[in-house]
Structures are given as structure tokens and as C-alpha cells.
Amino acid sequence: MGSFIASGVNRGALAMDAGNSSLPGWKMAYIIQWIWPVPLLAAAFFAPESPWWLIRHGKVDEAKRTLTRIASPGYWDTRPMDAYIAVIKHTDDMERAESAKGSFRDMWRGSNLRRTEIEMGVWAMQVWSGTAMTAYAVQFFKSAGMSTDTAFNLNIVITAMNLIGCMIEFVLISKFGRRPLILTGMAILASMLLVIGILGSVTTTNSTLVGTGAACAIINLVYHGTVGPLTYTVAAEVPASRLRARTVAFGRAFYVINYNATSQLTPRMVAPKTNIGGWGWRGKAAFFWLGGNLLATTWAYFRMPETGG
């Protein structure tokens, strides 16, 4: 939703620059983003505490209220809540014995080493899946010869796929496992990157631009229907209970390192050579991301387990 709204704001800012507004459009785009902390802080204030955390701190009654609140109506009518809480307690007791202090050093010991590897891997998959190209779609399309207005309009369509993909994921996750969805999603993303790379290697025409735009839209749709949201699911399910916060934080830091590195590369790849620092790869940049995708997919196939159930 955020990227879709942002693409609309950017398109509106473009129209401001084309008109007689005394406020440059790029300033308006920056100003609007400061509206969001207010509703986000309000939502965070009313968000329930984790039942795992509550039970770990002996607040069983509060945990029951939270479980009832976050479940669908009637969910616990046919399921024993006390049995579920007993499972949480038993799991925590076992993990407490394995990681008594729950330090960062414990993340690299015993079975936690495997958990940490998976945590790092799934976060890295978000970066190396190949969706980085679509984040610079406007610049990419403009460097390929598309008009500015058309490039911004097409970007709105591409980011709309983010929202649609997340809606599809709500249905898919209840019918398929995490691992099949992630592997299938990565395979489809790889095929679309191959298409973009091939189209970027031939003479640019309206047809190649349309085909590239369609492939970018499919990438965003598939990514947000599989790999994107499921990364957060697997990242929360893999760590040991008492190391969850540290492991997720470390995994997210690993993601940021990868993202910062690639965010420096991608703009240079898609920018024309006439720009300062531009490499002029245009659509051929997809071949680079195809290689990253295949490496991440190979790791997932051999090392990422099914965490559902």
C-alpha cells in the first residue's frame, strides 16, 4: 500500500512541476511522508502484546485475552486454549534450557546456528530476488526511451501489483506451505528477469517497452504474493523463542547491509551513460539480478526447511 500511494504522490508531484505551483513537486513528496508517523504511532499503541512474551513473563490471563482478540470469532470454541498455552510454556522451557541467557553468542551455538543461517538467508532473498529493478522503474523506462509521463503512469500500475499480490498471498498461505510458495515465486521472478534481460538486449521499440513494463508488473505481483510477505513469516517462525528478538534483529541488519549495497548498484545500472555514474545497462541489468536470484534460489532449495504447521 505504501509504495502504491507513494507512486501516486510522485505522479501528482510531477504535475505540480509542470504547472505554475510555487511549491516544487519534489518538496511536496517529502512533506507528505511526515503525515504517516501519527497514525502509525496510534496503531502501535493499541497493538496487542505477543502472547509468547506474556506467557514467558507469567501473564497467562493477559495472554488468553490476546489470543482471543487476535483470533477469528469462534476460533477457540473448538480448540483448547489451555493446551496451546501449555505448548508455548513447554517450548519456552526447552529453549530456556538450551539458551539460558539468550545472548547474541548463543545464536551461533547448537541448533541456533542453523536457525541463524536460515534467518540470514530468507532476508537476503528479499534483496536478491530481483525486485530491486522495479524500485527504479521510472528511471529505467526513461533511460529506455519512454516519455516521463508514461513512465510515471506505468509505475503506478506496477506498484498497484504490490497490493494485489499481498491479497493473493492471504489465500495462498493457507493452502500451500511456505517453502513451495517461496521456491515457486523465485522461479517465476527468474523467468521474468530473463525476459527483461532479453528485451533489453534488442533494439528498443514500443513493443519491447510494453513487454518490459508487463514483466516488471508480474515481478511485483508474484513477489508480493510469495517471497515478500513470507519472508516475515519464516523469519518469525525460525528463531528460538528466547532468541527471537535478537535473531530477527540480526537478520534484518543483514538485510539492510545487502540492501544498502544493491541500492548503490541498481541506479547506476539502469541510468544512461550520459548521467554521472551511469553504466547504461538498462534492461541488461536484469541478467545481474537473474544471477543473484538463482544463487538465492539454490540456497533455499537445499537449505531452507518448511516452517508451516
Side-chain angles (χ1 to χ4, degrees):
M1 177 65 79
S3 59
F4 176 62
I5 295 175
S7 65
V9 170
N10 289 336
R11 181 62 180 87
L14 181 67
M16 291 178 62
D17 282 337
N20 299 318
S21 174
S22 60
L23 181 65
W26 68 268
K27 287 188 177 181
M28 178 56 69
Y30 275 94
I31 292 171
I32 291 178
Q33 72 176 343
W34 291 105
I35 297 174
W36 299 108
V38 176
L40 290 176
L41 285 173
F45 179 79
F46 291 104
E49 183 56 82
S50 166
W52 286 78
W53 185 91
L54 291 170
I55 292 174
R56 192 177 301 123
H57 289 78
K59 302 179 180 181
V60 178
D61 291 337
E62 291 185 38
K64 289 182 177 180
R65 287 195 294 269
T66 298
L67 288 171
T68 302
R69 177 182 173 185
I70 63 178
S72 57
Y75 179 86
W76 294 110
D77 292 345
T78 57
R79 296 170 177 84
M81 183 181 294
D82 290 336
Y84 182 72
I85 290 176
V87 170
I88 296 177
K89 288 181 177 179
H90 178 67
T91 302
D92 183 59
D93 289 340
M94 292 195 316
E95 293 176 348
R96 189 188 298 266
E98 182 177 350
S99 305
K101 296 182 180 179
S103 66
F104 279 104
R105 184 178 297 178
D106 293 326
M107 290 168 45
W108 309 97
R109 294 173 173 173
S111 62
N112 291 325
L113 175 61
R114 178 87 167 89
R115 297 171 187 260
T116 303
E117 176 205 341
I118 297 169
E119 189 79 16
M120 296 169 64
V122 295
W123 281 119
M125 287 179 70
Q126 276 200 335
V127 178
W128 295 101
S129 61
T131 57
M133 284 193 63
T134 64
Y136 299 90
V138 173
Q139 183 179 359
F140 170 64
F141 291 135
K142 286 185 63 180
S143 67
M146 187 177 289
S147 69
T148 301
D149 287 350
T150 304
F152 273 87
N153 291 338
L154 184 55
N155 188 54
I156 294 176
V157 176
I158 292 173
T159 54
M161 296 299 104
N162 301 354
L163 183 59
I164 297 174
C166 287
M167 293 179 179
I168 294 174
E169 192 269 343
F170 282 133
V171 178
L172 296 180
I173 195 173
S174 62
K175 296 184 178 181
F176 304 97
R178 283 82 160 126
R179 176 182 162 86
L181 283 176
I182 289 177
L183 292 177
T184 301
M186 292 291 285
I188 297 175
L189 295 178
S191 65
M192 290 299 102
L193 290 170
L194 179 61
V195 169
I196 294 174
I198 292 174
L199 292 176
S201 303
V202 300
T203 303
T204 300
T205 64
N206 287 335
S207 297
T208 60
L209 289 175
V210 171
T212 301
C216 287
I218 294 173
I219 285 176
N220 268 22
L221 176 67
V222 173
Y223 174 82
H224 288 88
T226 56
V227 182
L230 285 173
T231 293
Y232 296 91
T233 303
V234 176
E237 293 172 340
V238 164
S241 174
R242 295 183 60 78
L243 288 171
R244 181 169 289 112
R246 289 183 172 85
T247 306
V248 173
F250 179 82
R252 189 62 178 176
F254 185 71
Y255 162 88
V256 171
I257 293 172
N258 281 266
Y259 179 81
N260 286 340
T262 58
S263 65
Q264 295 298 315
L265 297 175
T266 310
R268 292 171 169 80
M269 293 179 187
V270 301
K273 291 183 178 180
T274 53
N275 289 11
I276 297 177
W279 297 348
W281 290 10
R282 297 189 295 180
K284 295 178 183 178
F287 290 131
F288 172 87
W289 291 109
L290 175 61
N293 177 293
L294 293 177
L295 287 174
T297 304
T298 301
W299 171 85
Y301 181 82
F302 290 103
R303 300 293 293 171
M304 186 185 70
E306 173 60 60
T307 61

